Amino acid sequence: MSPTAPEVRIGPAPIPDTGVGPAPVPGEPVLLAPDLLRLTAPNPGLMTGPGTNSYLIGRSELALIDPGPDDEGHREALLAAVAARGTLRWILVTHTHPDHAPGAAAVADATGAQVVGFGPAEGFAPDLSVRGGWTLTLPGEGSEGSEGSEGSEGSLTLEAVHTPGHASDHLCWLLVESRTLLTGDHVMHGSTVVIKPPDGNLAEYLASLALVRDLEPPVARLAPGHGRVMERVTEVVDALIAHRLGRHVRVADALRATGEATVDELLPQVYADVTEEQLPVARFSLWAHLRHLGGEGRAQPLGVASGEDSVETRWHWVEGSSAV
């Protein structure tokens, strides 16, 4: 009997599946905890998985995280869920990408809720712009909530955690009492996120992952913008970091071997492990890796000044640099 050949991996190590609880189904409300309800928008796809998760938090005075796309059916489902639980006071947005924030305006018009986000962007104008460390207290029964106030018995505290990388305006929202982090697109179940320059930044993304991993007290679970709730948080985040760094080594090896290349010339080799459908999206993350190599002093864009490159730019390997 001949020995078994070792498995040959053509891409970075996979991310462990630590998903728990029911899978998201568009239009189906799921009570994940007494104070946390998930409702998934009907926008499944390559970039959104089962659809965008909206989260309703609280039991009487409520906060909504990520109202999702401006979809009438999803909006009606959200408003019905609100009516069954209490009064919507706040709409909190993780970031302003089109599958997370556009629904905010119409839900706010229907409820009078205050819209909170990192700052204004095209098509998004929050009532209040906040930064990491800002807190919101959702009251228990019979009390009033406020920004930055001390919680009363039965109250819930939400804290903004600034996590740039996928988007410069990205905020995760931490349910302090249960150590549940609502991650938007910072961490997704079943997929890695796209880093699309110039707003997306790989160095910032890696630093933001480490920030989430190292929060004290530790985060107990992740409630993502796409997919199921995840546990074993440190294992997931460490695997995401290792995955990105493994891809980064592949990009460096490929560019060093060719001397100079464009994103599209490197793409088939560096992303040989993804499907044809995923390649148009992967090219943006590859661009982010090349920019990160530039920041490390290991690559240079040709024909343009630093920071003025595009996804079409040709990159040059800096001789004498290490691939690791």
Side-chain angles (χ1 to χ4, degrees):
M1 181 176 178
S2 61
T4 302
E7 180 182 353
V8 177
R9 180 179 292 141
I10 60 172
I15 310 303
D17 185 352
T18 67
V20 297
V25 176
E28 183 176 300
V30 177
L31 191 64
L32 299 170
D35 299 299
L36 181 62
L37 182 139
R38 181 183 71 205
L39 191 59
T40 303
N43 63 333
L46 176 66
M47 300 290 289
T48 56
T52 301
N53 291 330
S54 300
Y55 293 95
L56 200 59
I57 298 169
R59 299 192 188 187
S60 57
E61 303 286 312
L62 308 175
L64 171 63
I65 293 183
D66 278 355
D70 188 17
D71 178 90
E72 182 178 0
H74 186 55
R75 180 169 62 253
E76 290 176 353
L78 289 172
L79 294 175
V82 167
R85 295 179 70 81
T87 302
L88 186 64
R89 294 278 306 278
W90 302 275
I91 299 169
L92 311 179
V93 170
T94 61
H95 64 302
T96 54
H97 285 176
D99 54 325
H100 289 261
V107 175
D109 286 345
T111 62
Q114 181 183 46
V115 178
V116 181
F118 187 83
E122 184 177 356
F124 178 74
D127 300 307
L128 180 64
S129 297
V130 303
R131 297 296 183 262
W134 180 83
T135 60
L136 172 68
T137 300
L138 278 68
E141 297 290 341
S143 59
E144 294 185 358
S146 63
E147 303 161 17
S149 66
E150 294 293 326
S152 59
E153 184 176 355
S155 65
L156 298 171
T157 307
L158 279 164
E159 179 179 347
V161 181
H162 186 211
T163 50
H166 174 69
S168 61
D169 63 358
H170 198 288
L171 297 169
C172 292
W173 293 96
L174 178 67
L175 268 168
V176 173
E177 289 77 12
S178 66
R179 307 306 293 174
T180 299
L181 188 70
L182 295 103
T183 65
D185 277 357
H186 187 51
V187 178
M188 301 195 303
H189 174 245
S191 177
T192 56
V193 305
V194 175
I195 310 296
K196 184 178 180 179
D199 190 57
N201 183 292
L202 181 57
E204 291 181 349
Y205 182 67
L206 291 169
S208 294
L209 285 174
L211 173 68
V212 165
R213 179 195 60 200
D214 298 337
L215 285 174
E216 289 292 342
V219 174
R221 64 194 58 81
L222 305 169
H226 307 278
R228 297 163 68 198
V229 171
M230 291 171 281
E231 296 183 342
R232 294 157 38 202
V233 173
T234 298
E235 179 183 351
V236 170
V237 175
D238 280 344
L240 286 169
I241 293 172
H243 181 93
R244 293 285 177 175
L245 293 178
R247 184 78 70 187
H248 199 55
V249 170
R250 290 175 64 84
V251 174
D253 283 344
L255 185 61
R256 182 178 62 169
T258 60
E260 62 179 60
T262 65
V263 164
D264 290 330
E265 289 167 353
L266 295 172
L267 190 65
Q269 176 182 351
V270 173
Y271 282 89
D273 55 309
V274 308
T275 66
E276 286 289 331
E277 186 183 24
Q278 293 170 316
L279 284 176
V281 176
R283 69 196 297 263
F284 292 110
S285 288
L286 177 49
W287 178 23
H289 279 284
L290 289 169
R291 282 189 143 209
H292 190 33
L293 285 173
E296 295 170 330
R298 296 195 283 163
Q300 294 176 340
L302 296 177
V304 295
S306 177
E308 296 182 4
D309 53 290
S310 74
V311 73
E312 308 294 339
T313 296
R314 178 169 290 272
W315 290 78
H316 170 74
W317 178 258
V318 176
E319 291 298 331
S321 300
S322 167
V324 179

